[in-house]
Every structure is written in structure tokens, then in C-alpha cells.
Amino acid sequence: MARWASLNLQQGKSLSLICGSLTWLRDQQIKKLSLIAGDDDSGDEPAWVLQHLKQEKNAATVQRMQELETRLAKIRAKELRQKQQYEDGGPHRKRSKLDHDGYSNDANSEDLYLLDDYASADEAVICPNARQKSTDNGLSTRSFDLLNKLGMVIEPTNDDDVTVDDELKIFYSSRTHSQLTQFANEVKRVKVPFTLHQTAPSDEEQLHLSTSTGEVKYLSLGSRKNLCINPQVARLGNVTAINEMCLELQQSKTPQDKHCSFLPNKDNEPLVHNFRDHTLASVRDIEDLGSLGKKIGICPYYASRASIKPSEIVTLPYPLLLQRSVREALDISLKGHIVIIDEAHNLMDAISSLHSVSISLSQLERSRAQLGTYLQKFKNKLKGQNRVYVTQVVRMIDSLSGFLMGKMATNQASDGIVDVYDLMKGKGIDQINIFKLGRYLQISKLGRKVDSYLVYAEKIDKSKVDVRISATPNLTHIQTFLQILTNPAAEGRFFYSRQEGSDICLKYMLLDPTHCFKEVVEDARAVILAGGTMSPMDDYTRHLFSYLEPEHLKTLSCGHVIPDENLLAWPITRSPAGLVFDFTYEKRNTPEMISELGICILRLAQIVPDGLVVFFPSYAYLEKVMAGWKTVTNGRQSIWTILATHKKVFAESKGRVSAEDILRDYSAAIEAGKGGLLLSIIGGKMSEGINFSDDLGRGVVVVGLPFPNIESVEWKAKLEYVADAAKLRGESSADCKMASREFYENACMRAVNQSIGRAIRHQKDYATIIMLDHRYNTTRIQGKLPGWIKKSLAKDGANQPFSEIENSIRGFFEAKRA
């Protein structure tokens, strides 16, 4: 009999993933139990022994599952009776009180920030009273050992009340917590059949499947910033500051009454189990998990790790999945499990971003000042190798600062590739063993000590610490860069780049994400990359999975849920006056081009009802266009003024006004019947994760093609790397150049397709999509559009006069409103 997760509504992308993956998961669970019940591979044992073994395996498996399901069923029933999302977790242990700021005012508390003794520069051996080993998870070793004893890091959780198997599961990852919350809401809508129970006839025990629906064992994982429930730590706001203070409150040198009272330990282990069972009893998003931790009185960031193994679906943002050190710290093993990565058009950029780092001259200068403040306080207490290595860190910072100041003082190009050896020419740098220094930074946690002390000192007495220096943790960031400097990947490059104003930046960029993601692919049973607008897909096969044989890669491209007549797509190559739309960087800034663009948008705004969203290639160009439209010539009304008479105009800004506020006002204008014109940016806040469904997006206009700056040193390096990789694969010189061109064009078109995809969000939705640029009429560009848009492109649209295009669009909407 077929079994599947079901929903009596039209399935979108998320629901398709949920229903398909849960159906597969249930089938695998049944197969696993069938193998247990039918396993007879026990050599030459007598039949009665084999039968007894099968019955024991059967009974033990079902008993474990029944015990967990019974507890979860009781929790669900109680939550339903109380009409709450969660229940109280039993008696709370008495919490120790923190002072007003969560810091001790005792002088001895300053010793918390003193570096532990570092014994040997040659062997990097730590003194007996210091740390005994290094961890890559940001924890001190004492904290690491404490969590190890609890089973919260690396080692499996040792639950006394039940044996927890590592169930076959699905790891679902997306870019933001808001996207994961949307996914959780979709999971709540799905009815999942198949609940295990056991009957025991007199002759033998058997497994049966019920046809009733059951709850999915679902877990949301997040960062400390999302899950911290200690009010004194959570209110710090800054991610780094929260991480550092959390770790400091776990240190053995921290007074007992100052330790975080929510941290799991042996005494409150029942609370961890209670939290685990409540977590698995119903689908909870990240906010629900935080509320549950507060209700039970246990830290959800650490306690959630006990829920990983018995979960069926684990959701987590990109940073928690794509970094090996973070997976290890969370005790996440992908071995044999399914990994689904949504919004995968972001994947390659996300991997590169997570493994890249940049530091500015101003950050280096602040870090130098922070170290000076720290040394002024502790210089008489630093001993032996600590004093030596801290001095070396100061020299390294001075060397990097000197390099950047040298670039600032010359009339060289605004950016360029950096030879790592040029960064090591400062005074005394040749005497530094960079590898030993990197190990020292990793083990001593110097950056964390300094940053945490400055936060502490500022809280205690702001008059003693320059607030400007201590407000933002910097040294931990600098430490990350120095550690990369000791062992840069072959796929990475160093750059310098002048910033706006008087600052200059030093960057390390990972050019190829293949090797970082290969660990995920090799561990997982299967990896699914999903997205609504992943076209063009060539880059994934050529640059992310180039090491895989073709038979191991499967692609599936689905059509849109709407009928073809619900979409009208036009490539418009000329303005109403006949000017060729050429929005290349060299030609797009002429007054005539900006004026003709405005007239085109104005005429479209008059025939597209309700909401019209226009995407521009950059913030700078949008500001230039708006300035041109607001210009009054010959005493006539400006284009901007005329636009405002037809629709209320809104513009995305670079940080001045939040995207939420703009969307709220835009939606209100449309609901009030005034119509709305929203000017947005390709790759900006409105181009991803925003649904312009129904009246919010009856028309989407894309202005030009947002090609990256090919003259930038970063893109030159990327394209050179792509060509070199093609050459290593044995491709011809012409093919190498074509590989670079394809990579460059694909980066542009993924951004375009993502913006276009903001409209048409459900089966009955309808809209027109308009692409303004003569290049949209070329075969190469049209070939990189999603299939559902290519099917709806107006025939011979580029050769139609603008009046015919207007008539077509007007007729399209009149037919829909009829």
C-alpha cells in the first residue's frame, strides 16, 4: 500500500520537498524495521536461536520507539488541554542571581581575562594549570571538557533515562532564520501517516503500521544570538559579544555565583531530557525553542543538542551546516543522512563568504589600541611565552597596518592582488614563526580574552576605557585573519581595496568552494540543492561538483504552477521614442537614457494595475536615475512628480530605511487603492525572500543586466581561476575563455532570475515581466532565463513598437480582470 505525506492544497517548492522527503524517510524506516524482523544472517545457528534473536531485536527496537512516542504523546495531550504551545518543565532548580550587568565588581574578576600560562614555544605545550588541548569550536577547554562530560560536544549524549539512536534524518538548511521559520510553518500543515505500534500474538511478535497521522520529530538549530535566554548576555546585542560573554561565564575561574545558571550540567540533566522531549513533541521554530528554554529553565542553545539524534528533520542556517568546525562543535554528523539546501542559488557565494575574511586599516588601528589597553592592565602579570607571543601579535598588526598605509600613501590602483610575503615585511616579522603564532592564537584565545576584558571594563567604569575603542570587538576578527595567513588555501587569494572615505581594506577571498563543500557531499547519503530560480545551472556541475561522475548528478527542473496564460514576458529593446536601451556601464548614465527610461516606466505605471516593482543594477545607479527624474527642465513637471500622480513611489535605500518599513508602506498604499511603484535593487533587500504576490507585484521590470565589475581585481582573479581550472581539466584555450565567460554571465543571470522570481507566487497569480535592455533579445541571455519565463516570452517582441507592447500589456490585464 502506498504511503505519502499529504496536503490537500497545491504544493509549492517547500511543500514538495517536505512531502517527498518525509515519504522517503518513512519508507526507509519501514525497510529498516523489516530488515530487523527478517534478519537471519547468523551463520549456522539453530532455527530456534535465530527466531529468538529476531524477537529480541524486534522487541528492543519497538520498546525504544514506544517509550519515546509515549512520552511525546503525553506532552502533546497536555499541551492541547492547556491550550499552550508548551508546558512547564517541572520543578525549576533555584537560579543564582547575576548582578545588574552580569559582571562582578570585585577586583579579582579581572583575573578572568588574564591569559593562562603558555609553557613552551617549541612544542606549544600548556602548563598543567592551563588548557590541555585546543578546540576549534570557540570554547575554552574547560568549557569544552564540561560539555563533554554532559555529552553536549563531540561525545554522544549519555542519557540515563533512555537510549537514543541516531535516527535517519533530513538536514534542511536555508540562508536565514526567517526562511527556516517559513519552512517550519509549512511542516505544521503536512499530515504524516505511519505510527509504529506493536502487537504480540502468542506465537511471535510482529511489527505493524497504523494508518493514523503522527507528528514529525522536528528540531530547529540556531546561534547563541537567537537562543540565549540569559538576559544579561542576550542584551549585549552584538553576536561576538554574546559569544564571548557566554564562554566567559563558563570558565572555571569565574566565581560560582557568576556562572550562567541556565547551562546544562549533571544536576539539571532531567531538564535537558525534558527539553528534548518537549522539542520533539511538536514542530517549533527558533523563537518557540527560545520560549521553551525560558519556560523549562535550561539553555536552548546547548540543550537542543540532545535532540539532534532522535530528530527526523533538523533545520539550520547555512553557517551551522557549511563549516566543519561548527558541525563538530554541535555534534552534528551528516554520515548517512540527507542534506537539503534551499535557496541554493546562494550556495557558492555563501560558502566563499563563510571562508573569506577582510580587515580594514581602521580595525587594525582599533585592535592595536585594544591590545595596548589590555597590556597596560596586565603587563605585570603576563609571563614567559605569553609576553613573547603578544609582542609578536603587536608586530604582525603593525606590519599589516604599515602595508595598508603604504598603499594609501601612493597613487596606485584602488585595488590589487597582494603577495602574502609583502604582508610580512614589518620590523621583526622575519623572526616570527607564523605557524607557531597561529597555534598560540588558537590555543590561548587571546582575541577573546582581550575583547571580553574591554567589554567588562567598559561596563565597570567607562571613564577608564575609551568607548570608541572598546565598543566593537575587533581583535577576535583580526585573529581569524592572522590564522588564515598561516595557512591560506590554494583556492584563495589576498587583495587590498580602497573603501569609501579614507579607509582601505585587506581581504582574503576563497575563489573555489568545491573543496569546502566536498566534505558535506562525501559524508551525506544524498545532497539536494533546491531553489525556485537556480537557472542557469551550469556552474553547479562545473564548479561545485566537478569531481563527481555524471551518473552521480541528477537535475530536475519543474515548470511553474501557473498556466501559461497567467504570465506575459516582454524583452523591450527600445524606448517609446525609439532610443535603443543600452544599460551597459559606459552608456547608461547619459541624460537622454535616464529620461527615456523614466518615460518608459511612467507609461508602464499607467497600464499595470496596483503594484509595479522595478529592479535596478545597483544602488548608485538608482540614486543617479532618481536625481535625473527629479530634475525640472524648461519649467515642466519632473518625471518623478508625474509618476507620483499615478502611483505612490517608494525606493529601497542602503540602510537609511528598513526593508520592513518600506514594504509595509508599499502594501498599505496598494490596499488603499493608490497603487505603488517600488524601486529596488537586483541583489538587494527586496530581491530575495520577499513575495510580491497578487496585487503587490502585477508587474516586475528589470533595468539592464547587473554584470559584476569585470575590471575589479577580485573578479579578474575569479575569472583567471576558472580559466586555469578548465586548463587543468585539459580543455582548449578557447574553451577556457568560454568557461570564464559562462561563469561571468551566469553570476549576472542568477541575480536577474532571482529578482524576476519575486512575482507569481501561487497557482492563480498573474503578472507581466518586462526586461529593459537590447541584450535581453540575444539568444545567449534568453537561454539563461528560467524555462517558465522563456515559454511566455512575447513572440518577436523586440521588433514591436512600444505602442503595440502597451496594447498587449493592457489587454493582458483587462482579460484577467474580466
Side-chain angles (χ1 to χ4, degrees):
M1 178 179 177
R3 295 169 299 276
W4 56 85
S6 63
L7 184 78
N8 295 324
L9 292 172
Q10 174 66 39
Q11 291 188 8
K13 178 190 63 175
S14 296
L15 288 173
S16 297
L17 289 171
I18 292 167
C19 295
S21 59
L22 283 178
T23 299
W24 178 87
L25 187 64
R26 292 300 196 225
D27 286 343
Q28 293 301 311
Q29 291 169 339
I30 295 169
K31 289 180 181 178
K32 176 182 176 182
L33 293 169
S34 300
L35 288 173
I36 292 174
D39 185 10
D40 59 358
D41 186 17
S42 300
D44 299 327
E45 297 291 346
W48 65 269
V49 174
L50 298 178
Q51 181 66 20
H52 178 71
L53 289 174
K54 284 188 288 185
Q55 290 178 357
E56 282 192 336
K57 288 181 181 179
N58 186 344
T61 299
V62 174
Q63 182 178 357
R64 285 197 301 270
M65 299 180 73
Q66 281 187 325
E67 287 174 353
L68 179 58
E69 289 295 339
T70 299
R71 293 199 308 275
L72 300 185
K74 289 180 179 178
I75 291 173
R76 291 171 192 138
K78 190 169 184 178
E79 289 179 340
L80 183 62
R81 287 194 307 269
Q82 295 179 339
K83 295 181 180 180
Q84 296 178 341
Q85 292 182 343
Y86 51 82
E87 65 163 344
D88 188 275
H92 291 222
R93 67 188 181 91
K94 185 176 180 180
R95 301 174 189 166
S96 56
K97 293 184 178 180
L98 295 173
D99 63 24
H100 179 70
D101 287 315
Y103 302 93
S104 171
N105 291 318
D106 299 332
N108 290 336
S109 293
E110 293 179 347
D111 290 341
L112 296 175
Y113 309 104
L114 180 63
L115 292 166
D116 291 332
D117 293 341
Y118 198 87
S120 172
D122 296 325
E123 302 297 332
V125 176
I126 307 300
C127 288
N129 64 334
R131 297 177 180 85
Q132 297 300 314
K133 59 184 177 182
S134 166
T135 65
D136 293 329
N137 52 22
L139 298 175
S140 70
T141 300
R142 292 190 181 97
S143 300
F144 185 90
D145 290 340
L146 169 63
L147 295 178
N148 242 341
K149 293 177 183 178
L150 295 173
M152 304 303 288
V153 177
I154 305 269
E155 297 298 330
T157 304
N158 183 19
D159 294 332
D160 295 333
D161 62 336
V162 65
T163 300
V164 178
D165 293 330
D166 188 8
E167 297 292 341
L168 179 63
K169 62 179 58 64
I170 297 161
F171 288 98
Y172 175 90
S173 183
S174 193
R175 191 175 63 89
T176 65
H177 279 294
S178 63
Q179 290 166 340
L180 295 175
T181 296
Q182 292 174 12
F183 182 81
N185 292 332
E186 297 286 10
V187 173
K188 292 176 183 178
R189 300 169 60 195
V190 177
K191 297 178 180 179
V192 185
F194 165 50
T195 301
L196 278 174
H197 68 280
Q198 182 185 38
T199 59
S202 57
D203 56 343
E204 63 175 345
E205 294 182 286
Q206 298 177 346
L207 288 175
H208 291 272
L209 302 176
S210 76
T211 57
S212 61
T213 60
E215 294 284 345
V216 178
K217 298 180 184 66
Y218 184 98
L219 173 65
S220 299
L221 292 178
S223 64
R224 286 183 179 88
K225 187 177 188 298
N226 297 106
L227 291 175
C228 178
I229 62 173
N230 185 325
Q232 311 300 343
V233 178
R235 73 181 187 180
L236 294 175
N238 180 277
V239 175
T240 303
I242 290 174
N243 289 340
E244 302 307 327
M245 187 48 58
C246 174
L247 299 177
E248 286 300 330
L249 292 180
Q250 300 174 42
Q251 296 296 304
S252 59
K253 292 192 296 185
T254 302
Q256 190 62 36
D257 64 334
K258 304 299 178 183
H259 278 204
C260 179
S261 60
F262 303 102
L263 187 70
N265 53 50
K266 284 295 182 182
D267 294 334
N268 62 20
E269 195 169 15
L271 294 181
V272 176
H273 299 155
N274 196 16
F275 179 88
R276 176 197 62 203
D277 292 347
H278 278 72
T279 299
L280 300 178
S282 60
V283 177
R284 304 176 192 269
D285 62 26
I286 200 71
E287 292 183 359
D288 296 333
L289 215 60
S291 299
L292 179 64
K294 291 178 182 178
K295 193 73 174 180
I296 293 177
I298 197 72
C299 172
Y301 175 73
Y302 286 112
S304 60
R305 302 178 190 188
S307 306
I308 294 176
K309 286 189 175 182
S311 295
E312 295 175 312
I313 295 180
V314 177
T315 64
L316 63 173
Y318 283 175
L320 302 190
L321 175 72
L322 299 177
Q323 298 179 96
R324 181 177 61 182
S325 61
V326 177
R327 294 197 303 271
E328 291 175 349
L330 293 174
D331 193 18
I332 292 175
S333 171
L334 304 178
K335 197 72 175 179
H337 300 299
I338 305 299
V339 174
I340 299 177
I341 299 177
D342 203 358
E343 303 296 332
H345 64 277
N346 287 310
L347 181 59
M348 289 187 287
D349 290 340
I351 296 171
S352 296
S353 177
L354 287 170
H355 294 85
S356 302
V357 63
S358 65
I359 54 173
S360 66
L361 179 58
S362 58
Q363 286 178 319
L364 288 166
E365 290 172 342
R366 279 198 299 270
S367 295
R368 182 66 167 83
Q370 288 176 341
L371 264 177
T373 301
Y374 182 83
L375 289 173
Q376 185 177 4
K377 181 65 181 178
F378 295 106
K379 62 182 178 181
N380 294 328
K381 295 182 179 181
L382 291 180
K383 301 177 182 178
Q385 297 303 322
N386 276 325
R387 185 185 295 271
V388 172
Y389 280 116
V390 171
T391 301
Q392 291 182 0
V393 172
V394 171
R395 289 181 180 176
M396 284 297 303
I397 292 176
D398 288 344
S399 182
L400 296 177
S401 298
F403 173 83
L404 291 178
M405 286 189 289
K407 293 297 181 183
M408 287 286 287
T410 64
N411 293 322
Q412 295 183 8
S414 60
D415 57 11
I417 294 179
V418 175
D419 189 326
V420 66
Y421 296 105
D422 291 338
L423 302 175
M424 312 289 287
K425 292 182 178 180
K427 183 179 180 180
I429 298 300
D430 57 338
Q431 301 172 15
I432 296 176
N433 186 319
I434 191 69
F435 300 102
K436 289 184 178 180
L437 179 60
R439 179 169 173 77
Y440 171 80
L441 290 171
Q442 182 182 14
I443 294 174
S444 69
K445 302 294 186 288
L446 172 65
R448 179 162 60 81
K449 288 285 187 180
V450 174
D451 287 338
S452 298
Y453 168 71
L454 289 165
V455 173
Y456 159 82
E458 180 183 343
K459 293 288 184 181
I460 297 303
D461 188 351
K462 292 186 178 181
S463 65
K464 292 184 179 179
V465 180
D466 185 343
V467 177
R468 178 187 61 80
I469 292 176
S470 65
T472 304
N474 283 287
L475 194 57
T476 302
H477 187 65
I478 303 298
Q479 176 176 309
T480 302
F481 188 87
L482 292 179
Q483 287 177 307
I484 287 180
L485 202 60
T486 66
N487 188 27
E491 302 81 25
R493 298 288 186 275
F494 288 95
F495 308 95
Y496 75 86
S497 175
R498 295 177 189 267
Q499 307 295 299
E500 293 182 3
S502 58
D503 211 354
I504 186 170
C505 185
L506 188 61
K507 302 178 182 180
Y508 171 79
M509 177 179 291
L510 184 70
L511 300 178
D512 184 1
T514 303
H515 299 286
C516 293
F517 193 62
K518 188 176 181 180
E519 299 169 347
V520 174
V521 175
E522 291 181 339
D523 279 351
R525 178 169 181 165
V527 175
I528 299 172
L529 306 186
T533 50
M534 290 181 64
S535 299
M537 299 183 66
D538 296 347
D539 287 352
Y540 301 97
T541 55
R542 290 179 63 92
H543 306 297
L544 198 58
F545 302 116
S546 57
Y547 56 92
L548 290 178
E549 296 297 329
E551 58 267 24
H552 293 300
L553 291 173
K554 304 293 181 184
T555 60
L556 174 65
S557 181
C558 301
H560 210 291
V561 295
I562 61 169
D564 293 345
E565 60 268 19
N566 280 20
L567 173 63
L568 179 63
W570 279 95
I572 299 181
T573 63
R574 292 179 179 272
S575 73
L579 177 70
V580 174
F581 276 142
D582 186 349
F583 292 100
T584 56
Y585 186 78
E586 295 80 10
K587 297 182 179 181
R588 68 188 186 187
N589 294 315
T590 65
E592 185 181 15
M593 185 68 69
I594 291 174
S595 176
E596 286 297 302
L597 172 62
I599 294 171
C600 177
I601 298 298
L602 174 59
R603 291 175 65 167
L604 291 173
Q606 293 172 339
I607 58 177
V608 175
D610 303 312
L612 177 63
V613 185
V614 183
F615 286 100
F616 289 80
S618 69
Y619 285 102
Y621 188 58
L622 173 58
E623 291 177 358
K624 189 173 185 66
V625 166
M626 288 193 300
W629 289 354
K630 292 177 181 179
T631 301
V632 177
T633 57
N634 300 325
R636 292 178 297 181
Q637 283 185 316
S638 67
I639 293 175
W640 186 269
T641 300
I642 301 174
L643 275 172
T645 64
H646 295 282
K647 293 183 185 294
K648 194 167 182 179
V649 184
F650 303 87
E652 181 178 341
S653 61
K654 198 172 184 179
R656 289 190 295 272
V657 183
S658 70
E660 291 77 11
D661 291 341
I662 296 173
L663 283 172
R664 183 187 62 244
D665 295 342
Y666 173 71
S667 301
I670 293 172
E671 290 176 3
K674 299 176 183 178
L677 173 62
L678 179 58
L679 309 179
S680 305
I681 306 300
I682 299 173
K685 303 169 188 174
M686 308 293 182
S687 67
E688 184 172 341
I690 306 296
N691 295 338
F692 293 109
S693 60
D694 300 318
D695 292 344
L696 293 180
R698 289 304 180 203
V700 172
V701 180
V702 181
V703 179
L705 288 160
F707 281 107
N709 181 8
I710 199 170
E711 295 301 320
S712 73
V713 65
E714 295 173 12
W715 266 96
K716 284 181 179 179
K718 284 184 180 180
L719 298 180
E720 180 183 349
Y721 185 89
V722 169
D724 289 344
K727 185 176 181 180
L728 288 175
R729 293 193 296 268
E731 298 182 21
S732 66
S733 177
D735 288 340
C736 291
K737 291 181 180 180
M738 182 58 67
S740 293
R741 180 180 177 180
E742 285 286 334
F743 184 82
Y744 184 62
E745 289 181 350
N746 290 349
C748 168
M749 290 307 297
R750 272 197 302 272
V752 168
N753 293 338
Q754 185 64 17
S755 298
I756 290 173
R758 298 308 90 209
I760 312 287
R761 305 304 296 181
H762 60 83
Q763 187 179 24
K764 296 182 179 180
D765 207 353
Y766 59 92
T768 181
I769 293 175
I770 299 165
M771 295 158 282
L772 303 181
D773 198 298
H774 72 96
R775 291 170 290 180
Y776 282 112
N777 195 41
T778 62
T779 303
R780 285 186 63 84
I781 296 300
Q782 289 189 2
K784 297 178 187 297
L785 291 169
W788 59 277
I789 292 180
K790 284 188 285 188
K791 286 195 307 180
S792 298
L793 280 174
K795 303 301 181 184
D796 199 29
N799 297 320
Q800 298 291 331
F802 196 84
S803 59
E804 289 297 322
I805 296 173
E806 284 180 302
N807 290 334
S808 174
I809 296 173
R810 186 181 293 109
F812 171 79
F813 286 110
E814 287 176 351
K816 294 302 173 186
R817 294 293 176 94

